[in-house]
mmCIF file of all heavy atoms in Angstrom:
data_model
loop_
_atom_site.group_PDB
_atom_site.id
_atom_site.type_symbol
_atom_site.label_atom_id
_atom_site.label_comp_id
_atom_site.label_asym_id
_atom_site.label_seq_id
_atom_site.Cartn_x
_atom_site.Cartn_y
_atom_site.Cartn_z
ATOM 1 N N ALA A 1 6.138 -7.732 -7.293
ATOM 2 C CA ALA A 1 5.713 -8.097 -5.938
ATOM 3 C C ALA A 1 4.210 -8.381 -5.923
ATOM 4 O O ALA A 1 3.420 -7.670 -6.545
ATOM 5 C CB ALA A 1 6.048 -6.977 -4.968
ATOM 6 N N ARG A 2 3.830 -9.429 -5.180
ATOM 7 C CA ARG A 2 2.421 -9.806 -5.096
ATOM 8 C C ARG A 2 1.821 -9.472 -3.735
ATOM 9 O O ARG A 2 0.614 -9.382 -3.599
ATOM 10 C CB ARG A 2 2.263 -11.302 -5.395
ATOM 11 C CG ARG A 2 2.456 -11.629 -6.860
ATOM 12 C CD ARG A 2 1.375 -10.957 -7.689
ATOM 13 N NE ARG A 2 1.582 -11.076 -9.134
ATOM 14 C CZ ARG A 2 2.085 -10.109 -9.880
ATOM 15 N NH1 ARG A 2 2.445 -8.946 -9.323
ATOM 16 N NH2 ARG A 2 2.247 -10.266 -11.166
ATOM 17 N N ARG A 3 2.643 -9.318 -2.717
ATOM 18 C CA ARG A 3 2.149 -8.917 -1.403
ATOM 19 C C ARG A 3 3.167 -7.952 -0.796
ATOM 20 O O ARG A 3 4.298 -8.336 -0.496
ATOM 21 C CB ARG A 3 1.931 -10.124 -0.500
ATOM 22 C CG ARG A 3 1.408 -9.746 0.894
ATOM 23 C CD ARG A 3 1.016 -10.958 1.705
ATOM 24 N NE ARG A 3 -0.180 -11.593 1.145
ATOM 25 C CZ ARG A 3 -0.718 -12.714 1.620
ATOM 26 N NH1 ARG A 3 -0.146 -13.323 2.651
ATOM 27 N NH2 ARG A 3 -1.786 -13.222 1.072
ATOM 28 N N ILE A 4 2.720 -6.722 -0.636
ATOM 29 C CA ILE A 4 3.586 -5.669 -0.101
ATOM 30 C C ILE A 4 3.082 -5.276 1.280
ATOM 31 O O ILE A 4 1.907 -4.939 1.461
ATOM 32 C CB ILE A 4 3.594 -4.436 -1.027
ATOM 33 C CG1 ILE A 4 4.159 -4.803 -2.408
ATOM 34 C CG2 ILE A 4 4.411 -3.303 -0.411
ATOM 35 C CD1 ILE A 4 4.104 -3.669 -3.416
ATOM 36 N N TRP A 5 3.978 -5.347 2.252
ATOM 37 C CA TRP A 5 3.641 -4.910 3.607
ATOM 38 C C TRP A 5 4.166 -3.491 3.803
ATOM 39 O O TRP A 5 5.346 -3.230 3.644
ATOM 40 C CB TRP A 5 4.261 -5.856 4.636
ATOM 41 C CG TRP A 5 4.122 -5.388 6.064
ATOM 42 C CD1 TRP A 5 3.126 -4.621 6.586
ATOM 43 C CD2 TRP A 5 5.025 -5.667 7.149
ATOM 44 N NE1 TRP A 5 3.328 -4.397 7.929
ATOM 45 C CE2 TRP A 5 4.475 -5.040 8.309
ATOM 46 C CE3 TRP A 5 6.198 -6.401 7.264
ATOM 47 C CZ2 TRP A 5 5.099 -5.103 9.541
ATOM 48 C CZ3 TRP A 5 6.821 -6.471 8.500
ATOM 49 C CH2 TRP A 5 6.274 -5.830 9.625
ATOM 50 N N VAL A 6 3.255 -2.579 4.160
ATOM 51 C CA VAL A 6 3.616 -1.210 4.479
ATOM 52 C C VAL A 6 3.436 -1.029 5.981
ATOM 53 O O VAL A 6 2.301 -0.993 6.485
ATOM 54 C CB VAL A 6 2.764 -0.190 3.703
ATOM 55 C CG1 VAL A 6 3.271 1.223 3.961
ATOM 56 C CG2 VAL A 6 2.794 -0.490 2.207
ATOM 57 N N ALA A 7 4.546 -0.943 6.709
ATOM 58 C CA ALA A 7 4.523 -0.814 8.170
ATOM 59 C C ALA A 7 4.567 0.658 8.531
ATOM 60 O O ALA A 7 5.588 1.328 8.347
ATOM 61 C CB ALA A 7 5.715 -1.555 8.780
ATOM 62 N N CYS A 8 3.463 1.181 9.033
ATOM 63 C CA CYS A 8 3.324 2.615 9.300
ATOM 64 C C CYS A 8 3.367 2.895 10.788
ATOM 65 O O CYS A 8 2.782 2.172 11.596
ATOM 66 C CB CYS A 8 2.019 3.139 8.721
ATOM 67 S SG CYS A 8 1.874 2.917 6.931
ATOM 68 N N GLY A 9 4.061 3.970 11.142
ATOM 69 C CA GLY A 9 4.153 4.390 12.531
ATOM 70 C C GLY A 9 3.234 5.547 12.834
ATOM 71 O O GLY A 9 2.432 5.982 11.990
ATOM 72 N N PRO A 10 3.369 6.141 14.029
ATOM 73 C CA PRO A 10 2.399 7.115 14.511
ATOM 74 C C PRO A 10 2.672 8.566 14.131
ATOM 75 O O PRO A 10 1.994 9.462 14.628
ATOM 76 C CB PRO A 10 2.506 6.943 16.034
ATOM 77 C CG PRO A 10 3.935 6.561 16.264
ATOM 78 C CD PRO A 10 4.321 5.712 15.083
ATOM 79 N N GLY A 11 3.641 8.802 13.261
ATOM 80 C CA GLY A 11 3.984 10.178 12.906
ATOM 81 C C GLY A 11 3.920 10.418 11.410
ATOM 82 O O GLY A 11 3.277 9.675 10.662
ATOM 83 N N ASN A 12 4.627 11.443 10.975
ATOM 84 C CA ASN A 12 4.601 11.790 9.555
ATOM 85 C C ASN A 12 5.328 10.772 8.692
ATOM 86 O O ASN A 12 5.038 10.653 7.502
ATOM 87 C CB ASN A 12 5.202 13.183 9.347
ATOM 88 C CG ASN A 12 4.222 14.280 9.701
ATOM 89 O OD1 ASN A 12 3.009 14.116 9.565
ATOM 90 N ND2 ASN A 12 4.733 15.409 10.176
ATOM 91 N N ASN A 13 6.285 10.038 9.261
ATOM 92 C CA ASN A 13 6.911 8.959 8.506
ATOM 93 C C ASN A 13 5.861 7.908 8.147
ATOM 94 O O ASN A 13 5.807 7.416 7.019
ATOM 95 C CB ASN A 13 8.046 8.347 9.322
ATOM 96 C CG ASN A 13 8.942 7.446 8.507
ATOM 97 O OD1 ASN A 13 8.882 6.226 8.632
ATOM 98 N ND2 ASN A 13 9.796 8.023 7.673
ATOM 99 N N GLY A 14 5.007 7.595 9.114
ATOM 100 C CA GLY A 14 3.896 6.695 8.843
ATOM 101 C C GLY A 14 2.941 7.276 7.825
ATOM 102 O O GLY A 14 2.388 6.556 6.982
ATOM 103 N N GLY A 15 2.738 8.600 7.881
ATOM 104 C CA GLY A 15 1.889 9.256 6.883
ATOM 105 C C GLY A 15 2.450 9.120 5.478
ATOM 106 O O GLY A 15 1.701 8.873 4.518
ATOM 107 N N ASP A 16 3.774 9.262 5.346
ATOM 108 C CA ASP A 16 4.404 9.048 4.035
ATOM 109 C C ASP A 16 4.112 7.640 3.537
ATOM 110 O O ASP A 16 3.813 7.423 2.355
ATOM 111 C CB ASP A 16 5.918 9.249 4.137
ATOM 112 C CG ASP A 16 6.313 10.679 4.461
ATOM 113 O OD1 ASP A 16 5.496 11.591 4.242
ATOM 114 O OD2 ASP A 16 7.450 10.877 4.941
ATOM 115 N N GLY A 17 4.209 6.660 4.449
ATOM 116 C CA GLY A 17 3.928 5.281 4.072
ATOM 117 C C GLY A 17 2.484 5.079 3.671
ATOM 118 O O GLY A 17 2.182 4.333 2.729
ATOM 119 N N LEU A 18 1.564 5.735 4.365
ATOM 120 C CA LEU A 18 0.136 5.619 4.027
ATOM 121 C C LEU A 18 -0.145 6.179 2.635
ATOM 122 O O LEU A 18 -0.918 5.594 1.860
ATOM 123 C CB LEU A 18 -0.704 6.347 5.074
ATOM 124 C CG LEU A 18 -0.794 5.674 6.447
ATOM 125 C CD1 LEU A 18 -1.375 6.631 7.471
ATOM 126 C CD2 LEU A 18 -1.638 4.397 6.362
ATOM 127 N N VAL A 19 0.461 7.308 2.296
ATOM 128 C CA VAL A 19 0.283 7.866 0.951
ATOM 129 C C VAL A 19 0.817 6.897 -0.096
ATOM 130 O O VAL A 19 0.167 6.640 -1.124
ATOM 131 C CB VAL A 19 0.983 9.231 0.823
ATOM 132 C CG1 VAL A 19 0.918 9.730 -0.626
ATOM 133 C CG2 VAL A 19 0.352 10.251 1.756
ATOM 134 N N ALA A 20 2.012 6.339 0.158
ATOM 135 C CA ALA A 20 2.588 5.381 -0.787
ATOM 136 C C ALA A 20 1.692 4.154 -0.939
ATOM 137 O O ALA A 20 1.471 3.667 -2.054
ATOM 138 C CB ALA A 20 3.982 4.966 -0.319
ATOM 139 N N ALA A 21 1.169 3.642 0.193
ATOM 140 C CA ALA A 21 0.289 2.474 0.135
ATOM 141 C C ALA A 21 -0.957 2.768 -0.683
ATOM 142 O O ALA A 21 -1.409 1.933 -1.492
ATOM 143 C CB ALA A 21 -0.086 2.053 1.556
ATOM 144 N N THR A 22 -1.528 3.944 -0.507
ATOM 145 C CA THR A 22 -2.726 4.331 -1.269
ATOM 146 C C THR A 22 -2.430 4.367 -2.763
ATOM 147 O O THR A 22 -3.217 3.861 -3.590
ATOM 148 C CB THR A 22 -3.230 5.701 -0.786
ATOM 149 O OG1 THR A 22 -3.543 5.618 0.607
ATOM 150 C CG2 THR A 22 -4.455 6.139 -1.559
ATOM 151 N N LEU A 23 -1.296 4.962 -3.127
ATOM 152 C CA LEU A 23 -0.941 5.042 -4.546
ATOM 153 C C LEU A 23 -0.677 3.656 -5.131
ATOM 154 O O LEU A 23 -1.085 3.361 -6.270
ATOM 155 C CB LEU A 23 0.293 5.929 -4.715
ATOM 156 C CG LEU A 23 0.087 7.421 -4.384
ATOM 157 C CD1 LEU A 23 1.424 8.159 -4.404
ATOM 158 C CD2 LEU A 23 -0.890 8.057 -5.372
ATOM 159 N N LEU A 24 0.008 2.799 -4.381
ATOM 160 C CA LEU A 24 0.267 1.442 -4.869
ATOM 161 C C LEU A 24 -1.032 0.654 -5.018
ATOM 162 O O LEU A 24 -1.204 -0.112 -5.975
ATOM 163 C CB LEU A 24 1.223 0.720 -3.900
ATOM 164 C CG LEU A 24 2.665 1.234 -3.862
ATOM 165 C CD1 LEU A 24 3.419 0.619 -2.692
ATOM 166 C CD2 LEU A 24 3.383 0.932 -5.177
ATOM 167 N N TYR A 25 -1.953 0.838 -4.086
ATOM 168 C CA TYR A 25 -3.244 0.151 -4.141
ATOM 169 C C TYR A 25 -4.037 0.610 -5.372
ATOM 170 O O TYR A 25 -4.602 -0.212 -6.114
ATOM 171 C CB TYR A 25 -4.016 0.446 -2.858
ATOM 172 C CG TYR A 25 -5.373 -0.190 -2.784
ATOM 173 C CD1 TYR A 25 -5.525 -1.549 -2.543
ATOM 174 C CD2 TYR A 25 -6.529 0.583 -2.945
ATOM 175 C CE1 TYR A 25 -6.781 -2.132 -2.465
ATOM 176 C CE2 TYR A 25 -7.788 0.018 -2.878
ATOM 177 C CZ TYR A 25 -7.907 -1.348 -2.641
ATOM 178 O OH TYR A 25 -9.153 -1.912 -2.572
ATOM 179 N N LYS A 26 -4.108 1.921 -5.599
ATOM 180 C CA LYS A 26 -4.833 2.446 -6.758
ATOM 181 C C LYS A 26 -4.201 1.967 -8.063
ATOM 182 O O LYS A 26 -4.904 1.613 -9.023
ATOM 183 C CB LYS A 26 -4.844 3.972 -6.717
ATOM 184 C CG LYS A 26 -5.735 4.554 -5.623
ATOM 185 C CD LYS A 26 -5.685 6.079 -5.653
ATOM 186 C CE LYS A 26 -6.631 6.693 -4.616
ATOM 187 N NZ LYS A 26 -6.565 8.178 -4.635
ATOM 188 N N HIS A 27 -2.877 1.951 -8.108
ATOM 189 C CA HIS A 27 -2.185 1.497 -9.317
ATOM 190 C C HIS A 27 -2.516 0.039 -9.618
ATOM 191 O O HIS A 27 -2.775 -0.338 -10.778
ATOM 192 C CB HIS A 27 -0.675 1.673 -9.141
ATOM 193 C CG HIS A 27 0.138 1.245 -10.324
ATOM 194 N ND1 HIS A 27 0.641 -0.036 -10.444
ATOM 195 C CD2 HIS A 27 0.507 1.909 -11.447
ATOM 196 C CE1 HIS A 27 1.306 -0.145 -11.579
ATOM 197 N NE2 HIS A 27 1.253 1.031 -12.206
ATOM 198 N N ALA A 28 -2.517 -0.794 -8.584
ATOM 199 C CA ALA A 28 -2.832 -2.213 -8.785
ATOM 200 C C ALA A 28 -4.252 -2.396 -9.311
ATOM 201 O O ALA A 28 -4.497 -3.199 -10.220
ATOM 202 C CB ALA A 28 -2.640 -2.974 -7.472
ATOM 203 N N ARG A 29 -5.188 -1.642 -8.758
ATOM 204 C CA ARG A 29 -6.577 -1.777 -9.202
ATOM 205 C C ARG A 29 -6.762 -1.259 -10.618
ATOM 206 O O ARG A 29 -7.466 -1.862 -11.429
ATOM 207 C CB ARG A 29 -7.496 -1.010 -8.237
ATOM 208 C CG ARG A 29 -7.558 -1.629 -6.838
ATOM 209 C CD ARG A 29 -8.620 -0.985 -5.990
ATOM 210 N NE ARG A 29 -9.962 -1.232 -6.530
ATOM 211 C CZ ARG A 29 -11.084 -0.765 -5.984
ATOM 212 N NH1 ARG A 29 -11.020 -0.017 -4.882
ATOM 213 N NH2 ARG A 29 -12.254 -1.022 -6.512
ATOM 214 N N GLN A 30 -6.121 -0.143 -10.942
ATOM 215 C CA GLN A 30 -6.272 0.440 -12.276
ATOM 216 C C GLN A 30 -5.704 -0.456 -13.362
ATOM 217 O O GLN A 30 -6.195 -0.471 -14.495
ATOM 218 C CB GLN A 30 -5.585 1.811 -12.325
ATOM 219 C CG GLN A 30 -6.303 2.895 -11.518
ATOM 220 C CD GLN A 30 -5.467 4.151 -11.375
ATOM 221 O OE1 GLN A 30 -4.347 4.233 -11.890
ATOM 222 N NE2 GLN A 30 -6.010 5.159 -10.688
ATOM 223 N N HIS A 31 -4.674 -1.225 -13.040
ATOM 224 C CA HIS A 31 -4.016 -2.045 -14.045
ATOM 225 C C HIS A 31 -4.347 -3.530 -13.907
ATOM 226 O O HIS A 31 -3.721 -4.368 -14.564
ATOM 227 C CB HIS A 31 -2.502 -1.840 -13.971
ATOM 228 C CG HIS A 31 -2.061 -0.456 -14.372
ATOM 229 N ND1 HIS A 31 -2.081 0.613 -13.497
ATOM 230 C CD2 HIS A 31 -1.611 0.038 -15.562
ATOM 231 C CE1 HIS A 31 -1.647 1.701 -14.116
ATOM 232 N NE2 HIS A 31 -1.351 1.385 -15.368
ATOM 233 N N GLY A 32 -5.298 -3.842 -13.060
ATOM 234 C CA GLY A 32 -5.732 -5.231 -12.923
ATOM 235 C C GLY A 32 -4.668 -6.146 -12.358
ATOM 236 O O GLY A 32 -4.661 -7.344 -12.664
ATOM 237 N N LEU A 33 -3.799 -5.620 -11.523
ATOM 238 C CA LEU A 33 -2.738 -6.431 -10.936
ATOM 239 C C LEU A 33 -3.250 -7.174 -9.706
ATOM 240 O O LEU A 33 -4.180 -6.725 -9.033
ATOM 241 C CB LEU A 33 -1.551 -5.547 -10.547
ATOM 242 C CG LEU A 33 -0.929 -4.712 -11.671
ATOM 243 C CD1 LEU A 33 0.196 -3.836 -11.119
ATOM 244 C CD2 LEU A 33 -0.415 -5.594 -12.792
ATOM 245 N N GLN A 34 -2.619 -8.282 -9.408
ATOM 246 C CA GLN A 34 -3.012 -9.087 -8.264
ATOM 247 C C GLN A 34 -2.275 -8.685 -6.982
ATOM 248 O O GLN A 34 -2.377 -9.354 -5.963
ATOM 249 C CB GLN A 34 -2.736 -10.571 -8.556
ATOM 250 C CG GLN A 34 -3.497 -11.125 -9.746
ATOM 251 C CD GLN A 34 -4.999 -10.992 -9.574
ATOM 252 O OE1 GLN A 34 -5.544 -11.362 -8.528
ATOM 253 N NE2 GLN A 34 -5.666 -10.447 -10.576
ATOM 254 N N THR A 35 -1.555 -7.593 -7.033
ATOM 255 C CA THR A 35 -0.755 -7.160 -5.890
ATOM 256 C C THR A 35 -1.642 -6.816 -4.700
ATOM 257 O O THR A 35 -2.601 -6.043 -4.829
ATOM 258 C CB THR A 35 0.090 -5.933 -6.270
ATOM 259 O OG1 THR A 35 0.858 -6.221 -7.431
ATOM 260 C CG2 THR A 35 1.021 -5.552 -5.134
ATOM 261 N N GLN A 36 -1.317 -7.369 -3.549
ATOM 262 C CA GLN A 36 -2.004 -7.043 -2.301
ATOM 263 C C GLN A 36 -1.182 -6.023 -1.522
ATOM 264 O O GLN A 36 0.035 -6.193 -1.355
ATOM 265 C CB GLN A 36 -2.207 -8.289 -1.444
ATOM 266 C CG GLN A 36 -3.145 -9.324 -2.040
ATOM 267 C CD GLN A 36 -3.298 -10.532 -1.118
ATOM 268 O OE1 GLN A 36 -2.416 -10.826 -0.308
ATOM 269 N NE2 GLN A 36 -4.423 -11.219 -1.240
ATOM 270 N N ILE A 37 -1.847 -5.001 -1.042
ATOM 271 C CA ILE A 37 -1.188 -3.986 -0.213
ATOM 272 C C ILE A 37 -1.695 -4.164 1.210
ATOM 273 O O ILE A 37 -2.881 -3.963 1.493
ATOM 274 C CB ILE A 37 -1.493 -2.560 -0.714
ATOM 275 C CG1 ILE A 37 -1.201 -2.439 -2.214
ATOM 276 C CG2 ILE A 37 -0.690 -1.545 0.095
ATOM 277 C CD1 ILE A 37 0.228 -2.690 -2.593
ATOM 278 N N CYS A 38 -0.800 -4.576 2.093
ATOM 279 C CA CYS A 38 -1.167 -4.855 3.485
ATOM 280 C C CYS A 38 -0.568 -3.769 4.384
ATOM 281 O O CYS A 38 0.658 -3.601 4.427
ATOM 282 C CB CYS A 38 -0.639 -6.222 3.913
ATOM 283 S SG CYS A 38 -1.119 -7.578 2.819
ATOM 284 N N ILE A 39 -1.438 -3.051 5.089
ATOM 285 C CA ILE A 39 -0.990 -1.963 5.957
ATOM 286 C C ILE A 39 -1.110 -2.386 7.413
ATOM 287 O O ILE A 39 -2.123 -2.948 7.830
ATOM 288 C CB ILE A 39 -1.844 -0.700 5.745
ATOM 289 C CG1 ILE A 39 -1.723 -0.177 4.319
ATOM 290 C CG2 ILE A 39 -1.409 0.400 6.716
ATOM 291 C CD1 ILE A 39 -2.603 1.027 4.062
ATOM 292 N N THR A 40 -0.056 -2.097 8.179
ATOM 293 C CA THR A 40 -0.177 -2.123 9.632
ATOM 294 C C THR A 40 0.030 -0.704 10.132
ATOM 295 O O THR A 40 0.839 0.053 9.569
ATOM 296 C CB THR A 40 0.853 -3.058 10.285
ATOM 297 O OG1 THR A 40 2.173 -2.672 9.884
ATOM 298 C CG2 THR A 40 0.600 -4.503 9.881
ATOM 299 N N PHE A 41 -0.703 -0.358 11.152
ATOM 300 C CA PHE A 41 -0.621 1.001 11.686
ATOM 301 C C PHE A 41 -0.389 0.923 13.185
ATOM 302 O O PHE A 41 -1.245 0.442 13.935
ATOM 303 C CB PHE A 41 -1.899 1.776 11.373
ATOM 304 C CG PHE A 41 -1.900 3.173 11.923
ATOM 305 C CD1 PHE A 41 -1.076 4.143 11.393
ATOM 306 C CD2 PHE A 41 -2.714 3.502 12.998
ATOM 307 C CE1 PHE A 41 -1.063 5.424 11.915
ATOM 308 C CE2 PHE A 41 -2.704 4.779 13.520
ATOM 309 C CZ PHE A 41 -1.879 5.748 12.980
ATOM 310 N N ALA A 42 0.782 1.359 13.629
ATOM 311 C CA ALA A 42 1.141 1.318 15.053
ATOM 312 C C ALA A 42 1.022 2.719 15.626
ATOM 313 O O ALA A 42 1.972 3.498 15.608
ATOM 314 C CB ALA A 42 2.553 0.783 15.223
#
C-alpha cells in the first residue's frame, strides 16, 4: 500500500487507530518506504 487512510473516532477505538498509524508511519520512515499515512480525526 502506498496511501493508507486511518479514520479515527473520538474514543478508544480511535486511539487504537492512532497507535497503529504511528507504528505504520515509523515503519515506513525506518525502511525508506514511500507509504503515506493519512489520519482523519473526528
